[in-house]
Amino acid sequence: MFNNVIFLTMKWPRQFITREDGTDVEAQAPLIISASRSTDISAFYSDWFFNRLKIGYSAWINPFTKEKNYIAYNKCKFIVFWSKNPNPLIPHLDELKERGIGCYVQYTLNDYEKEGLEKGVPSLDERIETFKALVDKLGKGNVIWRFDPLILTDEITINILLDKIKKIGDKLLGYTDKLVFSFADISTYKKVQSNLTINGIHYQEWDDESELKFAEALSELNKSSKWNYKLATCGEKVDLSEFGIEHNKCIDDELITKISYKDKELMDFLGIKIKCVDDFIFGSDDMPKDAIVINSDYYGVRSKSNKDTGQRALCGCIVSKDIGQYNTCPHMCEYCYANSDKTLAAGNYGLFVLNGGLGETII
């Protein structure tokens, strides 16, 4: 709850914009957009978002203060999409390229079909094909596979989770080089706990022993399957480095740099200086150990931390502006942390559709 309130204090550039009704309002003008941690914009609101991008602004309602805040898009340089079904996003990707906006996709590709924990998503086979289509469009490395969250129930054991991961990992071989995961922290998120209880899901909490057991087995699976995926956790305290598993930055200045290193304004904002590898080779420069290797010609050097202090302490993400709204995702996942209840989310989405998706906000 506290994260969103802090998030509004981010010192993005401010400007006045003219709304569609002719009134002038002050708006944030972020360079990096998160779309979105709070709802699946790619799956359900792609047309709305790209229409707002064309118009030049949208509005976001703070879920705690109920205050309407405006977001201008004229300075947007990069978008990180989060989705369980980004297929509707694909037809819009050329528009981003035309606007000079970079992007990558955090693609949550779970397998809870048998247990019915994600009733609103397409079949697993369809989602895997969407993953491949996105990679064909954006390039390998720009679509990140997430199995998130990992849930233990009376039907789902660690071994079953590993079998599910292997099934997907084998099919994504050649299309990804990374797997990001998190352990369902149910007791911390009361909405998740309530949703699971109401829906009769007999869950089990992860503990230190089970997390270490899973991490060791996943690391072995990564080796035995010859995937050689980079393994990373999202927002986890546990140190799994002994198994070759790192802490992730889901909104990642390193990946953004690799994709958009030619955008000087964005690089200046991130405090990253782009240097030529030839300078290093001929001795006029020393490549730092933490240099961002972009390609055979260029690398980047950071001059500051971009960590988003408005997120959870264990979150590694850099600064961005999230434009989503809670209680608007109709995927109907039984464990959802972003919806208070499925009926409310379905109702809000129904109103959005009834309104033709033409409003300043999703809700």
Side-chain angles (χ1 to χ4, degrees):
M1 291 173 57
F2 194 45
N3 292 345
N4 284 26
V5 176
I6 294 178
F7 198 61
L8 281 177
T9 69
M10 297 281 300
K11 295 187 181 299
W12 292 112
R14 295 275 180 171
Q15 63 185 56
F16 279 94
I17 60 170
T18 301
R19 297 171 61 206
E20 290 171 286
D21 65 4
T23 59
D24 292 334
V25 293
E26 190 179 38
Q28 302 177 65
L31 276 73
I32 302 172
I33 295 290
S34 169
S36 155
R37 294 181 178 93
S38 305
T39 193
D40 198 328
I41 285 177
S42 298
F44 301 107
Y45 304 101
S46 279
D47 290 344
W48 170 84
F49 173 68
F50 281 87
N51 181 52
R52 300 313 307 179
L53 191 63
K54 182 178 180 180
I55 292 170
Y57 80 96
S58 67
W60 177 82
I61 300 173
N62 187 305
F64 313 110
T65 66
K66 306 305 179 184
E67 178 186 3
K68 182 181 282 190
N69 299 267
Y70 294 90
I71 303 123
Y73 292 119
N74 61 312
K75 291 186 177 295
C76 178
K77 295 289 187 175
F78 206 94
I79 303 172
V80 178
F81 293 100
W82 311 68
S83 186
K84 289 184 178 177
N85 176 28
N87 189 58
L89 176 66
I90 294 175
H92 295 287
L93 292 175
D94 286 340
E95 183 178 342
L96 288 184
K97 188 174 182 180
E98 292 168 3
R99 292 178 176 274
I101 298 174
C103 78
Y104 64 81
V105 181
Q106 292 281 353
Y107 192 163
T108 299
L109 187 53
N110 301 334
D111 176 12
Y112 293 125
E113 284 190 316
K114 179 181 176 182
E115 299 81 11
L117 296 184
E118 297 176 337
K119 294 184 175 70
V121 301
S123 71
L124 180 59
D125 287 342
E126 289 179 76
R127 286 178 283 138
I128 289 172
E129 289 307 308
T130 293
F131 193 104
K132 294 178 178 179
L134 270 175
V135 172
D136 290 341
K137 193 76 173 175
L138 295 175
K140 184 180 176 182
N142 298 349
V143 186
I144 295 95
W145 174 29
R146 305 174 69 90
F147 200 112
D148 175 31
L150 296 163
I151 299 177
L152 294 176
T153 73
D154 53 355
E155 296 182 3
I156 305 174
T157 63
I158 287 177
N159 286 336
I160 287 175
L161 283 172
L162 291 165
D163 287 343
K164 291 175 181 293
I165 290 171
K166 177 168 174 49
K167 179 181 178 181
I168 298 173
D170 286 343
K171 292 183 178 180
L172 293 185
L173 194 59
Y175 287 89
T176 189
D177 51 18
K178 190 172 188 177
L179 167 59
V180 178
F181 64 92
S182 70
F183 302 107
D185 188 5
I186 298 166
S187 61
T188 300
Y189 297 95
K190 299 305 179 184
K191 282 190 285 189
V192 178
Q193 189 175 43
S194 175
N195 286 334
L196 289 174
T197 301
I198 290 171
N199 294 300
I201 309 299
H202 302 293
Y203 63 87
Q204 301 171 29
E205 291 281 7
W206 290 88
D207 56 23
D208 291 345
E209 182 180 356
S210 57
E211 289 177 356
L212 292 173
K213 180 180 178 181
F214 174 85
E216 182 177 13
L218 178 62
S219 180
E220 288 302 314
L221 175 61
N222 193 32
K223 295 173 186 175
S224 64
S225 299
K226 298 182 179 179
W227 294 338
N228 296 317
Y229 293 155
K230 181 183 290 186
L231 304 177
T233 58
C234 173
E236 295 291 344
K237 181 179 180 180
V238 62
D239 181 1
L240 302 176
S241 57
E242 65 178 297
F243 307 113
I245 300 172
E246 61 186 37
H247 295 292
N248 198 51
K249 288 196 291 186
C250 299
I251 299 183
D252 184 357
D253 51 1
E254 182 170 331
L255 182 51
I256 290 172
T257 298
K258 289 180 178 180
I259 295 170
S260 295
Y261 68 96
K262 293 181 180 180
D263 190 320
K264 188 177 185 305
E265 184 178 358
L266 181 57
M267 293 301 100
D268 287 346
F269 170 76
L270 293 173
I272 295 174
K273 186 173 183 179
I274 304 302
K275 298 195 174 186
C276 183
V277 170
D278 287 344
D279 293 339
F280 167 68
I281 292 174
F282 291 108
S284 63
D285 195 5
D286 292 323
M287 187 182 291
K289 291 182 179 180
D290 63 346
I292 302 169
V293 178
I294 297 168
N295 52 38
S296 59
D297 296 318
Y298 298 101
Y299 66 97
V301 179
R302 296 184 184 89
S303 62
K304 67 185 181 75
S305 170
N306 293 301
K307 180 176 171 57
D308 188 347
T309 56
Q311 297 297 329
R312 297 168 296 163
L314 297 173
C315 177
C317 287
I318 68 161
V319 294
S320 65
K321 176 67 185 89
D322 200 283
I323 61 169
Q325 300 283 174
Y326 291 118
N327 293 311
T328 61
C329 182
H331 273 319
M332 303 293 106
C333 300
E334 303 293 359
Y335 55 81
C336 184
Y337 77 92
N339 292 336
S340 297
D341 66 74
K342 292 185 288 186
T343 302
L344 177 59
N348 283 332
Y349 180 64
L351 289 173
F352 170 84
V353 173
L354 190 64
N355 188 41
L358 298 176
E360 294 178 328
T361 63
I362 292 173
I363 53 174

